[in-house]
Amino acid sequence: SAQAVTLPTSIASIKVPPLKTSYRPVKRAKLTPPSYSELTDAVNNLQQSLKANPDGGGDIRNKEVFSVGYYVDQLYAQITEIKRWGDDVVRYKNKQYQDATLMKIPKASTDNAFQTSAKKWIPIAMSLSSGNGDVDSAVRRCTKYFIKNHKEAVLAALAQQKIHTFSPMNETQIAAMMKDAKVKTVADRNTIMRHLRNHCGKDFLASTMKVEKQMKMMKEEEEKAAAAKKEKGDDDDDDERECAG
């Protein structure tokens, strides 16, 4: 079992009042960063929490209990408020002593709100994500991720921006197109399909094998229909001759 943590004698009680939040602006109040005294209180509370819970324990959901996580969150909130007067990015070293960053992303419940806030944080996020300021590469990687994991949302966004995408053609649609255009030979069909793939993408068309199989089926159906029509016409001629006789 875990050994109980003994509180330092300098701390009178395990319970302390929650941090002051006077730095949070009320509605329509002028926004000001946290004061020096408020930051000092936050740091002192965190220090006391670390002394009382050297293992980082405490109930993070109970604001009255010494909780390292709770006071870290409170101090970070104040740091974030200060960073709002800069670039909204907090730079630090992670557990592996590598450069890492945290940034504030505002909530947006509508497209208009998102467009307004995104002008600031998305370019910063893309620049940070690339590691070297190569925003184009970061955007390309993010776009590939969204296409793979949220394809329908990406297509909906493209449609809203009036950027048209091609719908793949199956073998039935391709065979019907070739028939309407009176493309008779396999070589001519392959030439047309090669140009379409170069322009619209490799996966835009069904395979040549499937298309030729569909063309063969359509030709057989046409020949059967023609034979049936011819047979019906011969029967009608016989009936006419019998009537005349």
Side-chain angles (χ1 to χ4, degrees), residues 50-235:
L50 288 169
K51 289 178 182 178
N53 298 280
D55 61 348
D59 186 356
I60 196 170
R61 295 167 298 181
N62 188 345
K63 297 181 181 180
E64 296 294 329
V65 177
F66 275 109
S67 169
V68 174
Y70 168 69
Y71 289 119
V72 167
D73 289 347
Q74 293 295 305
L75 181 58
Y76 174 67
Q78 291 189 336
I79 293 173
T80 302
E81 288 295 325
I82 293 176
K83 294 296 291 184
R84 289 183 66 178
W85 299 82
D87 58 3
D88 279 347
V89 177
V90 177
R91 297 169 178 83
Y92 68 102
K93 295 287 186 180
N94 61 18
K95 292 181 179 180
Q96 289 75 35
Y97 295 96
Q98 297 171 332
D99 291 333
T101 51
L102 296 171
M103 67 176 299
K104 184 175 181 179
I105 299 177
K107 293 181 180 179
S109 58
T110 65
D111 287 358
N112 288 337
F114 180 83
Q115 291 297 331
T116 300
S117 63
K119 293 177 182 179
K120 182 175 182 181
W121 70 265
I122 284 186
I124 296 175
M126 293 297 98
S127 179
L128 293 173
S129 173
S130 67
N132 57 5
D134 187 357
V135 175
D136 289 342
S137 294
V139 171
R140 175 177 51 79
R141 296 182 189 116
C142 288
T143 303
K144 289 172 64 178
Y145 171 84
F146 288 132
I147 291 173
K148 180 179 179 180
N149 297 280
H150 306 280
K151 186 175 181 179
E152 295 302 321
V154 172
L155 292 176
L158 290 173
Q160 290 179 352
Q161 295 300 112
K162 301 187 184 309
I163 299 175
H164 301 292
T165 56
F166 297 112
S167 298
M169 294 181 68
N170 59 34
E171 58 272 21
T172 304
Q173 294 170 321
I174 299 171
M177 176 182 69
M178 297 297 181
K179 179 183 176 182
D180 288 344
K182 295 181 174 54
V183 182
K184 302 292 185 181
T185 67
V186 176
D188 289 342
R189 288 195 288 268
N190 288 342
T191 300
I192 294 172
M193 292 173 64
R194 185 178 70 251
H195 283 283
L196 286 173
R197 284 196 177 97
N198 290 338
H199 182 70
C200 304
K202 180 180 177 181
D203 298 328
F204 175 64
L205 301 176
S207 67
T208 302
M209 184 182 297
K210 289 183 178 180
V211 173
E212 291 306 320
K213 183 178 180 180
Q214 184 66 28
M215 293 295 298
K216 183 178 179 181
M217 290 174 56
M218 290 177 63
K219 184 177 180 180
E220 290 174 352
E221 290 174 359
E222 289 177 356
E223 290 175 348
K224 288 181 181 179
K229 183 177 180 181
K230 184 176 183 300
E231 184 178 352
K232 185 177 184 301
D234 292 342
D235 291 341

